[in-house]
Amino acid sequence: MSFLIDFATRSRRNNDSAYREALAMLQGMSASDRADIGIKQADFARIAREMSRR
């Protein structure tokens, strides 16, 4: 039980929210948009990490 309390109350790192925002943007793109810029869904995590570091 204490694990859940600790997990719920721990603060997030600064770039966690930026990562989530970048990932949401990538997931919101249509398949044709992704094809136009040449990215695949498997690349989302890497691209979101790179975007959050900027």
Side-chain angles (χ1 to χ4, degrees):
M1 183 69 173
S2 66
F3 168 75
L4 293 176
I5 293 170
D6 291 341
F7 185 72
T9 59
R10 76 176 173 94
S11 61
R12 292 187 172 149
R13 293 178 293 195
N14 292 338
N15 64 349
D16 281 355
S17 61
Y19 174 79
R20 284 194 313 272
E21 290 171 6
L23 195 57
M25 184 197 69
L26 290 168
Q27 289 173 340
M29 295 172 71
S30 68
S32 61
D33 289 339
R34 291 191 306 259
D36 286 343
I37 59 175
I39 62 170
K40 297 184 174 147
Q41 193 167 1
D43 300 327
F44 283 7
R46 179 184 53 82
I47 294 170
R49 261 186 265 117
E50 290 173 359
M51 290 172 66
S52 68
R53 289 183 189 144
R54 294 181 187 177

